[in-house]
Amino acid sequence: MVLTHTTNHTYSHPFPTVTLAFFLRYYSPQLNPFSSHVLSTDTISSHVDPETGRLHTTRVHLKKSRMPSAVMKLLPTSVTGGNGDKSSYVLETSVVDIKEGWMKTESRNMNFTGILSVVEQQHYSTTPSDQTASSNNSQPRSGTAGNSLASPISRPLSPNTFVTTTFSYHSSLGNKKPDRAALTAPDDGDDTASRRFGGWISGWGTRRIQSSIESIASNKADDQLVKSRDGMRIVLERLRNNGVVSVLRELRRREGKSVFEQ
C-alpha cells in the first residue's frame, strides 16, 4: 500500500523566475535560511535535448536526516542505527520546458528505503492544473499537417506560477525477501538478530507498523512543505528586489568567486 498526499500552491512570480529559484533554493543558507539542513548539492548531469529544447538535470543532495523523530523512536536501534546524527542522500531529477511553460521534478530518498521510501513529484506550470489538460487539447501543436514549420504562438508572460505537489510514502519494513534469503545463509549472530527483529515485527503486525510509519511521515510532510515554500518565497523576493545578477554576484563575492568566471 502506498499513501499519497497532493497539494496545490501559487507563486506570485513568473515561471522563469520560479524555475531559477528552484535550482538556487539550496545554494546557500545566506540566500535561503530554510536550507541549513542541506549539507551539499552535486549536479550529476545536465543537458538540453536538441529536439525538444528541454533542460534535463539530475542532482544529488546530502541532507541531515529528515526521517521523522517519531519513526526513529518507534523502531529498535538495530534498524535505525541508534540516535546519533545522520545524513541521507536525495536524488532529484527535473525537466524544464521554458517554451511550453512547465517543469516536472521528482525527488526520492536513497537512504532508509527499507524503512520508508518517500517520493516527491512536482509540476510547475503557467496555468492552473485544472486548465492544463484542456489547454493542451485545444491549442494547435507545431509540426501538424499544413503547418509543420510554424513557430510557437507568442503568449504574454503570466505573472503567476502554479505548482502541484504529490508526496508518496511506502514502507516495506518487515516484508520478506525469500529469494535473497535462499541465496545467503546468515551466520549465528545475524540469524539471532533477524529472529529478534522478526519477533518484534510479528508482535506489532507488519502492516500496522508500515501504516504507522507512512502516516507519521505524511503528517510531518505538511510542516516541511510549509518551510520549503517559505524558502522559495524568500529566494523569489530577493531575485525580484535585487535582480538575478546582483544576487549571484553577492553570493559569489562571499565565496571569493566571480559570477562570470569561466
Side-chain angles (χ1 to χ4, degrees):
M1 180 179 178
V2 178
L3 181 64
T4 61
H5 179 60
T6 300
T7 61
N8 295 295
H9 184 69
T10 302
Y11 291 108
S12 301
H13 297 265
F15 177 73
T17 307
V18 173
T19 57
L20 178 60
F22 174 84
F23 287 105
L24 289 177
R25 73 194 194 284
Y26 293 154
Y27 187 90
S28 168
Q30 296 170 334
L31 177 63
N32 176 11
F34 290 94
S35 67
S36 58
H37 66 287
V38 182
L39 304 178
S40 67
T41 293
D42 294 289
T43 300
I44 305 303
S45 65
S46 183
H47 72 278
V48 175
D49 188 316
E51 295 184 359
T52 63
R54 294 170 180 170
L55 174 64
H56 296 254
T57 306
T58 301
R59 301 194 297 179
V60 173
H61 307 293
L62 178 62
K63 302 181 179 183
K64 295 179 182 178
S65 177
R66 306 298 288 174
M67 184 70 67
S69 59
V71 173
M72 303 297 286
K73 294 178 181 178
L74 178 66
L75 302 174
T77 56
S78 60
V79 177
T80 63
N83 297 323
D85 293 337
K86 296 179 179 64
S87 59
S88 60
Y89 289 98
V90 175
L91 179 66
E92 173 196 281
T93 58
S94 61
V95 181
V96 183
D97 192 316
I98 201 68
K99 292 182 179 179
E100 295 184 2
W102 58 262
M103 175 173 67
K104 294 181 180 180
T105 71
E106 180 181 285
S107 300
R108 61 176 63 237
N109 61 306
M110 301 174 67
N111 301 82
F112 308 117
T113 54
I115 301 174
L116 178 67
S117 176
V118 181
V119 179
E120 177 188 14
Q121 295 176 314
Q122 292 187 300
H123 182 267
Y124 296 78
S125 178
T126 55
T127 56
S129 58
D130 58 348
Q131 297 180 13
T132 301
S134 59
S135 176
N136 289 339
N137 292 331
S138 62
Q139 290 181 359
R141 299 177 182 271
S142 60
T144 56
N147 193 32
S148 59
L149 298 179
S151 58
I153 298 176
S154 177
R155 291 172 296 181
L157 186 63
S158 172
N160 298 321
T161 301
F162 306 90
V163 56
T164 299
T165 303
T166 300
F167 281 98
S168 300
Y169 310 91
H170 176 62
S171 175
S172 58
L173 186 67
N175 288 352
K176 296 181 179 180
K177 299 179 180 180
D179 293 339
R180 182 177 179 181
L183 293 174
T184 58
D187 57 30
D188 293 341
D190 291 338
D191 188 46
T192 301
S194 177
R195 286 197 301 269
R196 289 176 179 173
F197 177 64
W200 177 83
I201 285 287
S202 299
W204 278 78
T206 301
R207 188 55 228 159
R208 179 183 175 188
I209 292 293
Q210 294 173 349
S211 296
S212 297
I213 293 174
E214 293 164 357
S215 178
I216 292 171
S218 178
N219 294 334
K220 179 70 174 179
D222 291 336
D223 178 61
Q224 294 177 348
L225 190 57
V226 170
K227 293 180 180 179
S228 175
R229 289 171 177 169
D230 286 342
M232 281 283 289
R233 178 182 54 80
I234 291 175
V235 176
L236 287 165
E237 288 300 324
R238 289 179 175 176
L239 291 173
R240 169 186 282 174
N241 296 333
N242 302 319
V244 175
V245 174
S246 296
V247 170
L248 294 179
R249 180 180 285 121
E250 176 62 19
L251 292 172
R252 292 287 184 162
R253 184 190 66 79
R254 295 180 181 182
E255 294 181 351
K257 302 178 180 179
S258 170
V259 68
F260 300 115
E261 66 180 359
Q262 301 297 325

